[in-house]
Amino acid sequence: MQKDRLVNSLYQKSAAQENDRMIKVDLITGFLGSGKTTFMKKYAEYLIEKGMNIGILENDHGAVNVDMMLLHDLEGEHCELEMIAGGCDRETHRRRFKTKLIAMGMCGYDRVLIEPSGIFDVDEFFDALYEEPLDKWYEIGNVITIVDAGLPEKLDGQGEYLLASEAAEAGCVVLSKCQKYSEEQADAAINHLNRALEQVKCSRRFQDEVLCKDWDTLTDRDFDMLLGCGYRTEAYEKQYFDEKQGFDTLYFMNMEIPGERLAGAAEKILNDSGCGQVSRIKGFVKEGDGWLEVNATHGEITVQPVSAGQAVIIVIGEGMNREQIQLYWEQE
């Protein structure tokens, strides 16, 4: 796969004519740690530069939304941020999602961007927008799925199903971190995605509808293509999981852990089966007068200074052992 190659047919798709009475709504989805928030920021900046008034809805799995902190500098005359916190049952979450969209429908946006958690049922998005009164206010624009170019060979637990279900109906898959991986690794990531689609009996296969490029080099032409990529309607074998047996979220508040130990502790937690099947660690710790952000998956661990934060580290996974994880945070 050529890193700078985009299939011409994708570029030739132009965004549909804007309907004066309908708000376009885009879904930016992808598995845990794929890079959705980073992409959302670049995509939103492009739309703002085009003069659009946008609303961003952060629809997180847990009760604390760390990713929203990373988007705060977008807020201004042309961009507003909203959020739905999880930490509730599915029906309550769906009701909150619909209620928030009803409120946002009255704000005069040109476009609404939705970033769900990496453990999101995409059917919730389609179902809500086909219901009254949302079907009178909103028009589905694009479904863009972010996939890590360094995707592991296999994902544990529900991971394979979530990878497939979040991409099945995407208009385009955007590979993240392409500059860090070889073309062979990027190809392997797409092959992995296609195997996951086959496992859920979906006929969709990704080959052409893939953008593999360093995000710092994305051009207006790239964003115009994404703005018109649309979405697909695909059938696949739906899987249902017991809420008590699926992904869970643990919160570690006001952690006093030195910055130089953050990455090492996160790596140990990710690789210790005694901690459970940990998929993602993200959050902030206070460092002097500033903040450090930690963002860790099995593929990459980063710790970097940020201008603002919230004193919490969030651990997401399956069958987790809070006490064992706590030990790694407390070790000297």
Side-chain angles (χ1 to χ4, degrees), residues 68-87:
M68 192 167 177
M69 297 288 300
L70 305 176
L71 298 174
H72 267 304
D73 57 350
L74 290 173
E75 282 191 296
E77 182 181 356
H78 297 288
C79 179
E80 295 180 354
L81 301 180
E82 298 286 348
M83 70 168 285
I84 304 169

Side-chain angles (χ1 to χ4, degrees), residues 5 29 36 41 57 65 95 167 171 184-185 203 266 294 305:
R5 186 198 73 183
T29 188
K36 294 186 300 298
K41 191 170 184 179
L57 178 57
N65 197 315
R95 186 167 60 251
E184 290 75 16
Q185 287 172 301
S203 61
V294 59

Side-chain angles (χ1 to χ4, degrees), residues 66-311:
V66 167
D67 294 334
M68 192 167 177
M69 297 288 300
L70 305 176
L71 298 174
H72 267 304
D73 57 350
L74 290 173
E75 282 191 296
E77 182 181 356
H78 297 288
C79 179
E80 295 180 354
L81 301 180
E82 298 286 348
M83 70 168 285
I84 304 169
C88 55
D89 62 82
R90 285 195 184 100
E91 288 305 315
T92 301
H93 187 267
R94 287 172 181 155
R95 186 167 60 251
R96 290 177 180 175
F97 181 47
K98 183 176 179 180
T99 300
K100 181 63 71 172
L101 284 174
I102 289 172
M104 294 180 73
M106 303 175 186
C107 294
Y109 299 125
D110 299 308
R111 210 166 192 102
V112 167
L113 312 182
I114 298 175
E115 181 193 356
S117 77
I119 328 165
F120 182 67
D121 183 351
V122 177
D123 284 345
E124 181 179 326
F125 169 75
F126 286 102
D127 290 347
L129 290 169
Y130 290 146
E131 291 180 2
E132 293 184 347
L134 298 182
D135 61 341
K136 303 294 192 299
W137 301 344
Y138 289 102
E139 178 182 1
I140 299 173
N142 307 301
V143 176
I144 300 171
T145 298
I146 313 302
V147 173
D148 192 329
L151 190 66
E153 181 67 19
K154 181 174 174 54
L155 298 174
D156 294 329
Q158 300 176 31
E160 294 291 327
Y161 171 74
L162 289 167
L163 174 67
S165 64
E166 291 178 354
E169 297 174 303
C172 184
V173 161
V174 178
L175 291 185
S176 62
K177 310 165 195 170
C178 289
Q179 70 279 11
K180 297 183 179 181
Y181 298 100
S182 67
E183 293 177 13
E184 290 75 16
Q185 287 172 301
D187 285 337
I190 293 302
N191 289 336
H192 182 173
L193 172 59
N194 287 333
R195 289 196 306 274
L197 288 164
E198 183 177 8
Q199 290 173 15
V200 297
K201 296 180 173 56
C202 179
S203 61
R204 180 85 183 274
R205 298 293 180 271
F206 282 94
Q207 181 178 2
D208 294 341
E209 303 97 332
V210 177
L211 169 57
C212 181
K213 193 173 183 179
D214 182 345
W215 290 357
D216 287 337
T217 66
L218 292 175
T219 65
D220 285 357
R221 187 168 178 248
D222 296 324
F223 284 114
D224 282 341
M225 179 276 294
L226 291 169
L227 195 56
C229 71
Y231 65 97
R232 296 266 294 266
T233 302
E234 295 287 339
Y236 58 90
E237 189 176 73
K238 185 84 172 177
Q239 295 181 19
Y240 297 93
F241 300 96
D242 188 326
E243 292 183 26
K244 296 180 180 179
Q245 296 177 347
F247 280 90
D248 196 8
T249 305
L250 300 179
Y251 301 92
F252 297 86
M253 311 297 293
N254 300 307
M255 300 294 298
E256 295 184 2
I257 176 171
E260 63 269 17
R261 284 210 305 108
L262 258 180
E267 182 178 14
K268 291 175 181 177
I269 292 168
L270 285 163
N271 292 301
D272 182 358
S273 60
C275 293
Q277 294 179 353
V278 177
S279 297
R280 178 91 187 274
I281 299 170
K282 60 181 180 178
F284 306 94
V285 296
K286 201 83 170 85
E287 179 86 336
D289 294 330
W291 294 90
L292 290 176
E293 176 204 359
V294 59
N295 194 344
T297 65
H298 287 280
E300 184 178 31
I301 299 174
T302 61
V303 176
Q304 60 186 2
V306 290
S307 59
Q310 184 176 0

